[in-house]
């Protein structure tokens, strides 16, 4: 498999700090987010790549393994264990990996573990890693708003998974060891789940922030009052100031979307007021508006 350079995908170098990784991911996620690039398959593919890169580089342990083993970082623990056993078994012969092992020995061992060939000729059967599986889960925005469990069937097996609140449209999550079975004692493959989050009829999501348009009748806009608006977390009462103008925006802090895998953290909900002009007025009502206009 060709080497995938996660640093290059995020546009950072290997010395990048965790904050640099986070900032680069957020910038690219906004650029390629499927909601901002509808029906753009290239943007969707890029969004999936940066999610995968961020999953690895934002985790210190995964990043360390990736820096050492590249594409095979997922097998680092197995490799280190096997390497240690090999070193102990070869003890007095001085042929352990930590000593004078050649690059050829290293490569042969790695291939024998992960399916690259028959090993170094020591008569052991090659261990082959199982096939990776992929599947897709469709959610609506309300489903993605709360952590919940789902059961899905993969290759005849039912798997119960927990979907964290805040999952994004196009995001890919890996379930380790739930892919195809390994061969000759090799590790199982992994399951990669792509999430498709449908649009909400009245609320738009961009990252962790939500946006909604709310209609005000002209009387409330002029005189002020109290209205009730819908959020994904229930209904909220808002006070409308007198003489509210068309397009006025109100920001409800903490009423947006939950931040993925950051319990208790939420984005904001921004409401834009749209003034609803009355129709089908009677002559008397029109006269009152006329008098009002002339009095201003």
């Amino acid at each position: 498999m060709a080497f995938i350079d996660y640093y290059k995908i995020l546009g950072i170098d290997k010395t990048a700090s965790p904050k640099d990784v986070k900032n680069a991911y957020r910038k690219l996620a906004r650029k390629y987010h499927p909601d901002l690039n509808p029906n753009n398959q290239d943007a969707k593919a890029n969004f999936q790549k940066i999610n995968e890169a961020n999953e690895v580089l934002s985790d210190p342990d995964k990043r360390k393994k990736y820096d050492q083993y590249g594409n095979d970082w997922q097998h680092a623990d197995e490799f280190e264990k096997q390497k240690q056993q090999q070193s102990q078994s070869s003890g007095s012969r001085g042929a352990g990996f930590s000593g004078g092992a050649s690059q050829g020995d290293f490569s042969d061992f790695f291939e024998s573990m992960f399916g690259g060939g028959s090993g170094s000729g020591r008569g052991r059967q090659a261990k082959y890693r199982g096939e990776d599986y992929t599947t897709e889960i469709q959610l609506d925005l309300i489903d993605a708003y709360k952590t919940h469990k789902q059961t899905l069937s993969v290759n005849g097996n039912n798997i119960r998974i927990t979907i964290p609140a805040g999952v994004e449209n196009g995001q890919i999550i890996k379930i380790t060891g739930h892919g195809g079975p390994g061969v000759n004692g090799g590790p199982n493959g992994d399951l990669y789940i792509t999430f498709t989050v449908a649009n909400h009829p009245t609320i738009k999501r961009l990252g962790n922030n939500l946006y909604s348009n709310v209609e005000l009748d002209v009387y409330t806009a002029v005189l002020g009052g109290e209205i009730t608006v819908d959020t994904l977390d229930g209904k909220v009462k808002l006070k409308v100031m007198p003489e509210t103008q068309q397009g006025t925006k109100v920001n409800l802090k903490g009423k947006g979307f939950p931040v993925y895998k950051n319990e208790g953290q939420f984005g904001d909900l921004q409401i834009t007021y749209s003034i609803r002009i009355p129709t089908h007025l009677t002559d008397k009502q029109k006269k009152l508006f006329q008098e009002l206009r002339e009095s201003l």
Side-chain angles (χ1 to χ4, degrees):
M1 180 173 64
F3 175 68
I4 301 175
D5 191 337
Y6 291 143
Y7 291 100
K8 184 176 180 180
I9 288 173
L10 294 183
I12 56 178
D13 57 39
K14 287 191 174 183
T15 62
S17 67
K19 184 177 180 180
D20 293 334
V21 173
K22 184 177 182 179
N23 290 339
Y25 167 71
R26 285 184 171 180
K27 181 179 178 181
L28 291 170
R30 285 194 294 268
K31 179 179 180 181
Y32 293 111
H33 197 285
D35 287 349
L36 299 178
N37 300 274
N39 302 318
N40 187 329
Q41 294 302 313
D42 289 338
K44 181 178 180 180
N46 284 327
F47 189 72
Q48 292 174 343
K49 288 178 183 178
I50 62 176
N51 268 297
E52 181 179 337
N54 180 64
E55 181 184 349
V56 175
L57 298 185
S58 64
D59 185 303
D61 185 53
K62 292 179 181 178
R63 181 175 178 178
K64 180 179 178 181
K65 293 174 181 177
Y66 172 76
D67 287 342
Q68 184 172 359
Y69 294 106
N71 279 2
D72 294 300
W73 68 270
Q74 298 172 10
H75 309 296
D77 293 339
E78 304 161 48
F79 178 72
E80 288 297 332
K81 182 178 179 180
Q82 291 289 337
K83 185 172 71 171
Q84 185 179 20
Q85 292 175 350
Q86 183 74 8
S87 177
Q88 291 172 350
S89 65
S90 58
S92 60
R93 298 195 299 273
F97 283 99
S98 59
S102 68
Q103 182 63 35
D105 292 334
F106 183 92
S107 300
D108 286 344
F109 177 79
F110 208 83
E111 289 175 356
S112 71
M113 278 192 67
F114 304 124
S118 58
S120 57
R122 295 183 177 89
R124 295 178 300 174
Q125 285 186 313
K127 296 180 179 180
Y128 292 92
R129 183 178 179 276
E131 177 186 2
D132 287 338
Y133 291 159
T134 61
T135 190
E136 183 176 299
I137 292 181
Q138 295 184 349
L139 304 173
D140 59 34
L141 201 60
I142 295 176
D143 288 334
Y145 183 81
K146 295 182 179 180
T147 297
H148 65 284
K149 296 182 182 295
Q150 277 200 23
T151 300
L152 60 154
S153 180
V154 179
N155 202 34
N157 296 316
N158 289 330
I159 302 174
R160 183 77 166 169
I161 65 169
T162 299
I163 301 176
V167 66
E168 295 219 32
N169 183 42
Q171 184 171 344
I172 299 174
I173 293 179
K174 183 187 72 175
I175 309 297
T176 303
H178 282 281
V183 178
N184 296 328
N188 290 348
D190 300 325
L191 171 64
Y192 289 86
I193 302 173
T194 301
F195 290 92
T196 300
V197 182
N199 293 325
H200 190 274
T202 60
I203 298 176
K204 182 177 181 181
R205 177 190 181 190
L206 287 177
N208 297 318
N209 294 325
L210 299 175
Y211 300 84
S212 177
N213 291 321
V214 173
E215 282 192 342
L216 289 181
D217 62 69
V218 68
Y219 316 107
T220 304
V222 172
L223 301 175
E226 189 175 78
I227 63 171
T228 301
V229 299
D230 291 323
T231 75
L232 294 182
D233 194 34
K235 295 183 181 296
V236 173
K237 288 186 176 181
L238 293 181
K239 184 177 181 180
V240 179
M241 300 301 294
E243 301 179 6
T244 293
Q245 301 297 307
Q246 169 77 14
T248 295
K249 299 182 186 300
V250 177
N251 192 65
L252 303 183
K253 192 169 182 61
K255 288 296 182 179
F257 220 68
V259 180
Y260 181 71
K261 287 192 175 180
N262 284 271
E263 187 174 352
Q265 295 186 28
F266 293 81
D268 298 339
L269 168 61
Q270 185 180 95
I271 291 175
T272 301
Y273 287 135
S274 176
I275 310 301
R276 183 174 68 252
I277 304 300
T279 59
H280 309 296
L281 297 176
T282 66
D283 290 339
K284 181 178 180 180
Q285 290 169 331
K286 291 178 182 179
K287 184 178 179 180
L288 289 173
F289 272 100
Q290 179 70 25
E291 292 175 354
L292 177 62
R293 183 173 67 178
E294 291 174 354
S295 68
L296 295 176

